[in-house]
Amino acid sequence: MPLSTLTGYIDIHVHAGPSIFPRSVTDMELAAEAQAAGMRGFVLKAHEECTVSRAQLLRAQFPGLEVFGSVVLNWYVGGLNPYAVDLALQRGAKIVWMPTGSAKQHIQYYGGSEYTAQKSTVRLLPQPPISILDQDGKPLPVLYEILDLIAAADAIAASGHLSPVETKVFVEVARARGVAKILVAHPDLGLNQMPVSLQLELTRQGAYVEKSYLTLMPGWQSITLEELVASIRLIGPERCVLQTDFGQANHPTPVAGYRQFLNMLLDAGVPEAWLFRMGAENPAALLGLPSPAG
């Protein structure tokens, strides 16, 4: 039987317009659809800008909907820029993402900051690849500075499009610097795909791992539904976070996609209590919200 409600659920990783990429919904359309579906909220992610101001405007228009902004450390905000991080956190950003389109791993995988599955609507200058590691494989000093800011704000440090090797170092350094909330971004997605054994290792160090609907979609698929479910069973629902990563113009809207994803997992044998843990309770804990009623 399909899920009857999305009450309490939060999509912690979602895209909307305006954007440099074609999007299926605007910010306002996403918020209206989420509220109508009974969702608790979402976190806006944009590869090109901090979304704190956009989230603030949505909260004013949609009282009761938990909408939060984030910042991605691509070149558009100065790369690994502690000034951008500090200001974003002071203004309420809940997630600081390591580089995505500017990441060394992303540029090597796609041959540039674009994606094969979607193209920017504006011209993008060639970007020097960003790594969190120096030529000797050591963390850059600025990474410590950024993680210290995240720790002080009790915000979420997310891995972005780092390589598996970088992500492992990222989690270790974040823990050492006192970051309590660490999120490994879509580790099943092709561009930064990592073995489940490494995902399990990182969760045992205290990180959460995203389980993303995008990894099952045509043009992006890098894992089967059976493999995704098996990884959830191995890791356990306590350290998995469901998200769509939707917003792409050729996909269902993020809210419709979230519902599809939940029902797909339910049909594949994932217990409803697990879905609520991964899609409602874990995101709430990461965002510092009261635990939802199941």
Side-chain angles (χ1 to χ4, degrees), residues 1 23 43 53 59 69 80 87-90 117 131-132 145 148 164 170 179-180 210-211 213 217 221-222:
M1 179 180 295
R23 295 303 185 197
V43 179
S53 295
R59 287 196 302 274
L80 299 177
L87 188 58
L89 291 172
Q90 288 193 67
S131 175
I132 62 167
E145 190 174 351
D148 288 348
F170 175 75
V179 178
E210 291 185 331
K211 293 297 163 181
Y213 192 19
M217 300 301 293
Q221 186 170 11
S222 52

Side-chain angles (χ1 to χ4, degrees), residues 28-41:
M28 294 287 286
E29 290 167 340
L30 172 59
E33 190 175 2
Q35 191 170 68
M39 291 185 71
R40 188 173 186 180

Side-chain angles (χ1 to χ4, degrees), residues 223-245:
I223 192 171
T224 66
L225 176 61
E226 293 75 20
E227 290 169 333
L228 187 68
V229 170
S231 74
I232 291 172
R233 292 192 182 280
L234 179 65
I235 294 167
E238 298 81 10
R239 286 286 156 180
C240 293
V241 176
L242 301 180
Q243 50 95 314
T244 62
D245 199 359

Side-chain angles (χ1 to χ4, degrees), residues 193-225:
Q193 195 165 25
M194 63 177 63
V196 179
S197 58
L198 178 54
Q199 296 182 40
L200 182 61
E201 178 185 339
L202 298 180
T203 61
R204 286 175 173 169
Q205 293 180 34
Y208 290 82
V209 294
E210 291 185 331
K211 293 297 163 181
S212 175
Y213 192 19
L214 188 67
T215 63
L216 300 174
M217 300 301 293
W220 303 84
Q221 186 170 11
S222 52
I223 192 171
T224 66
L225 176 61

